[in-house]
């Protein structure tokens, strides 16, 4: 799923991503993570950043019932510099 596309000047850039999660039907418990990724945009290249969100743990539902649980929410970034296709 493409979320965002733009044109940016070559050089160093920083992207900050924040993800918040909560249990289905549970609005009292939520958890979040935030990561900042630095990368260099090459002149004359297309840069693609693919983000992967990974969630593990017991989640919000069991926490509400048992008053204990675990949360593990991570963001991974894969940055690729590609040749621009000529038309």
């Amino acid at each position: 799923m493409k979320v965002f596309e733009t044109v940016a000047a070559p050089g160093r850039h920083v992207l900050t991503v924040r993800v918040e999660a909560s249990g289905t039907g549970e609005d009292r418990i939520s958890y979040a993570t935030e990561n900042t990724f630095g990368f260099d945009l090459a002149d004359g290249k297309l840069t693609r950043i693919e983000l992967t969100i990974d969630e593990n743990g017991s989640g919000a539902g069991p926490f509400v019932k048992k008053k204990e649980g675990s949360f593990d929410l991570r963001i991974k970034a894969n940055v690729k510099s590609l040749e621009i296709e000529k038309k």
Side-chain angles (χ1 to χ4, degrees), residues 1-5:
M1 164 176 63
K2 185 187 296 187
V3 176
F4 183 74
E5 183 175 330

Side-chain angles (χ1 to χ4, degrees), residues 25-80:
E26 180 52 57
D27 60 357
R28 294 179 295 161
I29 304 292
S30 66
Y31 41 102
T33 189
E34 183 174 294
N35 289 89
T36 300
F37 304 97
F39 52 92
D40 189 66
L41 296 181
D43 193 17
K45 301 270 187 172
L46 173 70
T47 301
R48 177 171 290 142
I49 302 169
E50 296 175 356
L51 300 171
T52 303
I53 312 303
D54 187 27
E55 177 188 20
N56 288 307
S58 58
F63 187 84
V64 170
K65 291 177 186 173
K66 298 179 183 177
K67 303 299 182 213
E68 65 180 46
S70 64
F71 304 97
D72 186 9
L73 185 60
R74 298 174 191 227
I75 305 170
K76 299 175 187 174
N78 184 16
V79 181
K80 297 178 184 177

Side-chain angles (χ1 to χ4, degrees), residues 10-32:
R12 181 156 170 71
H13 292 266
V14 175
L15 174 67
T16 299
V17 180
R18 179 176 172 82
V19 176
E20 294 185 34
S22 62
T24 303
E26 180 52 57
D27 60 357
R28 294 179 295 161
I29 304 292
S30 66
Y31 41 102

